[in-house]
Amino acid sequence: MVFEYAPAPESRSIVTIAPEYGLFIDGEFTAPVEDHLFTTSNPATEDVLSRVTEAQGDDVDRAVAAARRAFEQTWGPMPGAERAKYLYRIARLIQERSRELAVLETLDNGKPIKETRDVDIPLVAAHFFYHAGWADKLEHAGYGPHPQPLGVAGQIIPWNFPLLMLAWKVAPALACGNTVVLKAAETTPLTALAFAEICQQADLPPGVVNILTGAGETGRLLVEHPGTDKIAFTGSTEVGRSIMRALAGTEKRLTLELGGKGANIVFDDAPIDETVEGIVNGIFFNQGHVCCAGSRLLLQESIADEVVERLKVRLATLRLGDPLDKNTDIGAINSAEQLARIDELAKSGDDENADRWSSPCALPDRGWWFPPTVFTGVTQAHRIAREEIFGPVLSVLTFRTPDEAVQKANNTPYGLSAGIWTEKGSRILWMAQQLRAGVVWANTFNRFDPTSPFGGYKESGFGREGGIQGLGAYLATEEAR
Ligand code: NDP
């Protein structure tokens, strides 16, 4: 018997979206300038949501100058206990406005409401609460008796977790006494602008947080601006490389959180039902737009056929469609460009003779969609085993021994995440020591917490965000833990 689900759409009436937005500089919104407006759309319908401003060079100048003034005159000299009050206030305002923020994020990004409501926004608030707690205790964090802020931080974030990536960057920077100029991603600016309103509601002193919208060129201007002391970037490895080149020889501090091609490794003693759920969560959460996604599934050969069969049965039950529907598991792809990238890489899998299976779900007529897809018959030489697809596409490989699993898992230019599924604790510990990945999950996947540092090895970047280690990225001390 098959259960049919009645639609359960979340109302969008809680959200007010202005037709146009300016930039948030020095505590105020600038007036939108007609010549510099671009549109942001709902990926599930292609409807235009609003028009936002592409920040120009003089806007970047003004934002950096405002952040410098605030750093020197208000935020830098302020005692940590006072800074903490603002961060707690922001955290509480995020909780109060959580439903509105969840709907807004879903509209602008295309991800399901159950993810924004249950994962993104609660984690955003948790990051501000956690870092509020540190603001007056920095001398106990292990960075020496008088850790000092760096100054003005330029921060650039991607579109896959727009408000959460903002929180990962803004909360530690502010807790440590820095001020920030943040550039939101071109396709998902709306929750960053809502956050600017929250800064106003919290009476945050002008200039402590400045929010710029724009495209890659605005990001480049911010990176190359001589007035910033630190750049924190999350995005593609390609842009990360160009930022490293631009900053080479300067005094600026840099952290990079780049791409990944995480291995999710399943041994034959793993509990199959839980593991299948973990595989689904590892690669199909957020449509696979996750830098630490478990996009390479490594199955022990003896159970490979069984796991793949059970996985297909489970995937066929996932509901793809209206992201505002509370029953939806798989939302829309964030942009036409991203859909084209996913399509191109998936076609390379066909061309290299891997076997493609896609969930038989119907795709809506409008918007940008890609069905949950599994490739078997994949070898390490395939592009779909080496390159980050950043979409709902899983590549399945097999192994026979733990050594072979480690060798295959580490055979990637990336090093962001890995997962291990086995009932043996000793094997988990041994594997975790061998895997070159910044985070290794055991019998779970894609679990995040503000107390836990996150970051990569190799081409996945350097520096950590979250936890005590993440504070070091915003403090002028070399005594990193
Ligand atoms: P980008 O690296 O281009 O974008 C990330 C951020 O950097 C955005 O705010 C972007 O602005 C900005 N940016 C772009 N060019 C520059 C530049 N020269 N200097 C400074 N900032 C810049 O990622 P894309 O959105 O183009 O995605 C491409 C691929 O990157 C994806 O397919 C995925 O593989 C990977 N990716 C990885 C992420 C991760 O979390 N590790 C996140 C996002 C993407 P704008 O949005 O206006 O382009």
Side-chain angles (χ1 to χ4, degrees), residues 10 12 32 45 72 99 105 110-111 116 162 174 176-177 181 184 196 229 241 264 280 336 358 382 453-454 456 466 480:
E10 177 72 59
R12 61 170 287 177
T45 60
E72 289 174 354
R99 192 163 149 240
E105 195 80 296
K111 64 171 75 186
T116 53
L174 264 47
C176 293
V181 179
D229 302 295
R241 275 200 200 102
N264 207 358
V280 171
S358 290
H382 281 82
F454 185 91

Side-chain angles (χ1 to χ4, degrees), residues 395-459:
S395 301
V396 184
L397 297 93
T398 58
F399 66 92
R400 289 185 182 168
T401 64
D403 280 326
E404 189 187 351
V406 167
Q407 183 267 325
K408 284 187 167 163
N410 286 341
N411 184 11
T412 167
Y414 296 111
L416 198 53
S417 71
I420 307 163
W421 296 82
T422 174
E423 67 164 16
K424 292 190 184 58
S426 57
R427 182 181 279 161
I428 290 169
L429 295 174
W430 181 83
M431 292 284 295
Q433 284 180 334
Q434 315 296 315
L435 293 169
R436 297 293 290 164
V439 55
V440 179
W441 286 290
N443 294 327
T444 187
F445 211 94
N446 272 342
R447 297 280 290 230
F448 305 99
D449 190 284
T451 63
S452 178
F454 185 91
Y457 288 101
K458 301 192 280 186
E459 293 196 7

